[in-house]
């Protein structure tokens, strides 16, 4: 259901799974992401906080909570939340998760310059993962376009197509 973007059904299934076995941080994490996509940020935050009480090493719980806070218009608080989480992680994938989330929040705030820096950092951190680099370059291209940098945006879009020819965007 989640992969088919049927978030209501996915939430129902995840809830049943948690009723049967409550100590499943990955299930709570995915249900939180489903709540976020279903535009239910309060429930998403509850799930992300539950995950963090069970396993503080899941960077997606930190980025998910920040995204939910940003959805509620609490951008500055979301940025502070992410900044406090950085010291907990050393793996490039975890750091890229947090930096990408911060970049998206900067975009929501209309702050394209720091967003571009964050998306560039993600591309450098994950230089051996074409899909992540493509996502970071795509986000950076959008931010560059909003800053009236169409040529730089075009270069990023061209690179996205070469990294991920099936990119639906």
């Amino acid at each position: 259901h989640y992969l088919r973007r049927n978030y209501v059904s996915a939430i129902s299934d995840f809830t049943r799974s948690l009723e049967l076995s409550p100590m499943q941080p990955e299930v709570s994490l995915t249900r939180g992401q489903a709540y976020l996509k279903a535009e239910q940020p309060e429930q998403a935050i509850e799930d992300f906080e539950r995950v963090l009480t069970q396993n503080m090493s899941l960077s997606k719980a930190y980025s998910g909570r920040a995204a939910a806070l940003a959805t509620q218009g609490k951008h500055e608080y979301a940025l502070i939340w992410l900044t406090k989480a950085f010291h907990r992680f050393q793996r490039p994938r975890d750091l890229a998760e947090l930096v990408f989330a911060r970049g998206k929040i900067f975009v929501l705030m209309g702050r394209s310059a720091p967003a571009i820096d964050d998306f560039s950092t993600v591309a450098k951190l994950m230089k051996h993962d074409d899909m992540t680099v493509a996502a970071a370059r795509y986000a950076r291209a959008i931010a560059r376009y909003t800053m009236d940098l169409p040529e730089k945006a075009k270069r990023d879009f061209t690179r996205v197509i070469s990294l991920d020819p099936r990119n639906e965007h």
Side-chain angles (χ1 to χ4, degrees):
H1 293 295
Y2 184 83
L3 295 177
R4 290 187 176 136
R5 298 181 181 161
N6 184 350
Y7 302 117
V8 174
S9 293
I11 290 166
S12 177
D13 288 347
F14 293 137
T15 300
R16 180 67 180 136
S17 179
L18 290 167
E19 288 169 356
L20 296 171
S21 179
M23 294 302 290
Q24 298 183 77
E26 292 81 9
V27 173
S28 292
L29 176 68
T30 310
R31 185 177 71 173
Q33 292 168 332
Y35 274 129
L36 193 55
K37 296 205 184 255
E39 299 179 9
Q40 298 178 41
E42 296 84 12
Q43 291 85 351
I45 289 171
E46 287 177 21
D47 273 354
F48 295 132
E49 289 175 353
R50 182 178 305 105
V51 170
L52 292 170
T53 62
Q54 295 172 352
N55 184 347
M56 294 182 72
S57 66
L58 294 172
S59 59
K60 286 185 181 281
Y62 290 93
S63 65
R65 186 174 187 275
L69 290 168
T71 299
Q72 294 177 320
K74 300 174 184 174
H75 301 110
E76 294 293 338
Y77 185 61
L79 291 175
I80 292 168
W81 169 253
L82 284 172
T83 302
K84 288 181 178 181
F86 284 131
H87 77 280
R88 295 184 180 278
F89 299 96
Q90 294 181 352
R91 286 184 341 150
R93 178 159 302 286
D94 292 326
L95 292 170
E97 174 75 30
L98 299 175
V99 174
F100 200 98
R102 186 176 69 180
K104 289 196 273 187
I105 293 168
F106 280 135
V107 167
L108 289 173
M109 297 172 74
R111 296 174 59 191
S112 295
I116 290 168
D117 291 342
D118 279 355
F119 299 138
S120 298
T121 299
V122 169
K124 288 176 190 167
L125 283 168
M126 300 302 295
K127 62 185 171 193
H128 299 297
D129 180 340
D130 288 348
M131 299 306 265
T132 303
V133 172
R137 283 184 171 263
Y138 179 80
R140 185 173 72 182
I142 301 248
R144 283 180 164 170
Y145 190 79
T146 63
M147 287 188 67
D148 200 25
L149 300 169
E151 290 306 313
K152 288 185 176 185
K154 183 178 177 182
R155 282 197 304 267
D156 275 333
F157 284 131
T158 302
R159 185 71 176 127
V160 168
I161 292 169
S162 70
L163 289 168
D164 182 13
R166 296 175 301 155
N167 189 305
E168 64 187 54
H169 301 291

